[in-house]
Amino acid sequence: MTERYVLDLQEVDETQVAVVGGKGAHLGGLSRIEGIRVPAGLCVTTDAFRRIMAEAPWLDDRLDQLSRLNPDDREAIRTLSAQIRRTVEGIAIPDDLTAAITRALARLGEQAAYAVRSSATAEDLPTASFAGQQDTYLNVVGPTAILQHVSRCWASLFTERAVTYRQRNGIDHRTVHMAVVVQRMVFPHASGILFTADPVTGNRKVATVDAGFGLGEALVSGLVNPDVFKVRHGEVVAKAIAAKQRAVHALPTGGTQEVAIDSRRQEQPALTDAQVVRLEQLGRRIEAHFGRPQDIEWCLVDDGFQIVQSRPITTLFPVPETGDQENHVYVSVGHQQMMTDPMKPLGLSMWQLTAMVAMHTAGGRLFVDVTRRLAAPASRAGLLDVMGRGDPLVRDALETVLDRNDFVPSLPGAGPGGPPTGGTSATIETDPAIVTELIERSQVSIAALQRDIRTKTGPALFEFLLEAFAEHKRVLSDPLSMQAIMAGMEATWWLNDTLQEWLGEKNAADTLTLSAPDNVTSEMGLALLDVADVIRPHSEVVAFLQGVEDDGFLDELAKLAGGTEARDAIQAYLDRYGMRCVGEIDITRPRWRERPTTLVPVLLDNVRNFEPGAAERRFEQGRRKAQQKEQDVLSRLRALPDGDRKAGEAKRMIDRVRTFIGYREYPKYGIVSRYFVYKQALLEEAERLVQAGVLPQKEDIFYLTFQELHDVARSNQVDDRLIQQRKDAFRSYHALTPPRVLTSDGEAVTGAYRRDDVPAGALIGLPVSAGTIEGRARVMLDIAEADLEAGDILVTTFTDPSWSPLFVAVAGLVTEVGGLMTHGAVIAREYGLPAVVGVERATRLIRDGQRIRVHGTDGYVEILP
């Protein structure tokens, strides 16, 4: 029995996390790599921890209490976790366990100095590092002191920060156990951290070394600034030597103390360049062993490096897998589609199968490889122009990569791959009948899909869907549809560029496109105002809706006075728009038809904030403003030299933009309508698989790709472990921020606005809808949190069409993601809302309730005192 309580480091490897925790498993793995020196040591296993916890059965109740606490209730967590720690530290270590530990120490040298280090089963994992969550004790001398510190390590599983970290990451306290590593102490000349990828940029080819004198504790605790070296291709390419005034040294009797460093040594490098390069080579060997970039703690002892820890760097954004060694440049699809959250595997694969260009996945997001378009001068200019008009940060990031001259090869001809760089030249007539015809074509195609899919099940359904995806792409690539979209966009660009040149007026198209016809997304926002008009007179219905939590509430409405009309109005709205939701490009996201409670807060805001008939008034008001603007622009143009010609050209473009700009929103509506049909069919298939005992629950299909699900339908067998791995990975992807531009080296290239025409302290973004507005910032990350008052300014990460019902209720818009022609920008212009998009970290820099001023014409936001 006792053998399970203690294992030598040499006996374990990285597969034994459940036995010796993350740190112990990694150290065991490190000790097996040729050429890597790891201080000798032992692991007190998780069996020992469980034995200790069993000595105090009343701890179960405390852990139950702990798991019920809100992660933000810091006071309650602090109090309860301190009680649990005191209890664990006070448990006497049973004799057989004490004997096992002291026997192992005798073999290593019991009077030597040791580091006693916590090693939890949920740390140093690929998806969550838990760095610094548990405790380490240095220079512990003698068996009595070591046993005491082992108890402290067990108790450190319940520090306030460790408990909070687990609760925020959805990890059950009971599933985490604590092992303890007891390792021979090393007394280094220098120590520090090696990252085998640049932790700031993510570049996998650049290693970063932080180094200081003495024990690494001085760096980890922030006592001193380290020397920083950057290594690329085996040579030091940059270094910054810090003045290291203090170090942490071990005391002969045990423990550590801070010491001052002789002034003559303070600015000497802690490592020579040759030592840095040698350390980087060791790091690459460790990285190759573990198969991913590592964060490595090292010590320099007598000119030899010893490794005391290695864990995965969990903050790096993954790189799309290509299977070649070529350089690649990827552009984020999510930033163009207004959906930067991670997608589940079924959502990723369905978008890939229905998209017009090849897409790669990484970190639960989609990317397009634009390398060949960038490489060929013929296609480069067009790509940069379209990207720049959409999102200047993407353009700047691409130019940053190009400026390096050595990353993207220069090709003579245009290459395939990447998004279309300008669509089809808009040669169509300015004829509203074209839009009518296109909408009709889309509706006929969707009706045929709904009709034909009804009878399909099993493998036949998947064969049918593959044909449906071909039709989906045919509708999307309809040349007439592409021409109509480009006609509206090019007319917008022409009006903005030309009227600025002729009249000195910025963003004139913003007013000229107010209440443009045939915009299905702006109609959706106004239609919810009409639903509010039906509900408003019925106080019983309003009171009922204020308490709604269950998605079956529509059936209950009919029992109330006025409830039948309310239900019918909501149902009619859902029939037309219920296939929409936040993040709608991911087919796995719950649609409004599936979760109608999402709309209730927005509906109640409309009931409270608007008078009857608001929708029609808003639309008419916008139309009149646009008309007045047109008359004003044309009369000012006629007064210029060659004015009649200029006014004639402008009038043709105004007619053109009003004819086609609304249609810009329709293809996405068509895609999402088709998606809902696909989804309903796939969920019925999932129900069949649940009934057959193949799947435990329907939603498990979301963690399989379309191709994998097809295989399951054929074989009636599923890999449960794969689904669990996918669920864990998806959860971890939420912590990652997807870059606008990513290279195959793993570098996230952010881009910059490079503007000097904004006030100091202002947040810079992209001006997409003219006007200036002041108001209360409502920082919202979920449409279901709606609680708006007249004059509020919506601040959020991104807005796709599903947010437009909120746009009628706000006075302005600020988003972190977006471009000139993305949905939020188009609808903001439709409704006349001053809007600035692409404001980096807006939801973190602006606090909910702060007063802000949005400069929609000039593209910046001021936080007011």
Side-chain angles (χ1 to χ4, degrees), residues 66-105:
L66 199 58
S67 61
R68 288 195 294 268
L69 293 178
N70 183 321
D72 295 322
D73 189 349
R74 297 183 61 176
E75 190 54 46
I77 288 175
R78 185 178 299 129
T79 305
L80 189 51
S81 60
Q83 286 175 10
I84 294 170
R85 275 199 317 282
R86 279 197 301 275
T87 302
V88 173
E89 278 191 50
I91 297 169
I93 301 177
D95 291 347
D96 57 336
L97 184 47
T98 301
I101 296 170
T102 49
R103 268 201 307 276
L105 281 173

Side-chain angles (χ1 to χ4, degrees), residues 332-555:
S332 161
V333 173
H335 285 81
Q336 295 162 47
Q337 288 293 339
M338 299 296 92
M339 163 58 177
T340 53
D341 290 348
M343 294 166 69
K344 296 189 178 94
L346 185 63
L348 292 166
S349 68
M350 292 285 278
W351 194 262
Q352 285 175 303
L353 286 164
T354 52
M356 302 309 297
V357 293
M359 292 187 179
H360 304 264
T361 64
R365 277 79 168 191
L366 291 162
F367 293 87
V368 171
D369 187 341
V370 297
T371 319
R372 291 184 69 80
R373 286 190 180 277
L374 276 182
S379 54
R380 181 186 305 148
L383 177 72
L384 292 174
D385 183 50
V386 167
M387 291 292 173
R389 283 187 183 277
D391 184 343
L393 293 176
V394 172
R395 177 179 181 137
D396 188 74
L398 291 174
E399 287 177 332
T400 300
V401 175
L402 284 169
D403 286 347
R404 293 176 186 160
N405 295 324
D406 61 347
F407 193 81
V408 177
S410 201
L411 297 176
T421 54
T424 314
S425 178
T427 54
I428 53 174
E429 292 298 308
T430 303
D431 181 359
I434 292 171
V435 173
T436 308
E437 183 193 338
L438 285 167
I439 290 172
E440 210 167 280
R441 280 189 205 176
S442 175
Q443 288 172 340
V444 166
S445 175
I446 291 165
L449 171 67
Q450 288 169 323
R451 182 189 66 234
D452 297 342
I453 205 169
R454 282 187 193 129
T455 56
K456 307 292 188 291
T457 61
L461 169 66
F462 291 87
E463 301 299 338
F464 172 81
L465 281 170
L466 288 170
E467 291 170 23
F469 298 161
E471 165 68 2
H472 180 125
K473 288 160 90 164
R474 189 195 64 73
V475 171
L476 268 186
S477 59
D478 180 339
L480 189 62
S481 177
M482 305 286 273
Q483 286 175 324
I485 292 168
M486 288 312 298
M489 288 166 68
E490 286 173 359
T492 303
W493 297 336
W494 188 94
L495 286 166
N496 280 339
D497 293 349
T498 311
L499 296 181
Q500 179 154 13
E501 185 190 329
W502 288 349
L503 297 175
E505 183 161 344
K506 284 184 181 176
N507 304 339
D510 293 1
T511 310
L512 293 165
T513 52
L514 287 170
S515 298
D518 299 312
N519 188 318
V520 69
T521 309
S522 63
E523 286 164 9
M524 179 170 74
L526 296 173
L528 203 63
L529 288 175
D530 290 336
V531 177
D533 286 355
V534 175
I535 289 167
R536 195 177 290 106
H538 305 294
S539 56
E540 213 178 319
V541 172
V542 173
F544 170 77
L545 288 175
Q546 283 165 344
V548 156
E549 288 179 6
D550 183 348
D551 284 311
F553 73 91
L554 287 173
D555 298 334

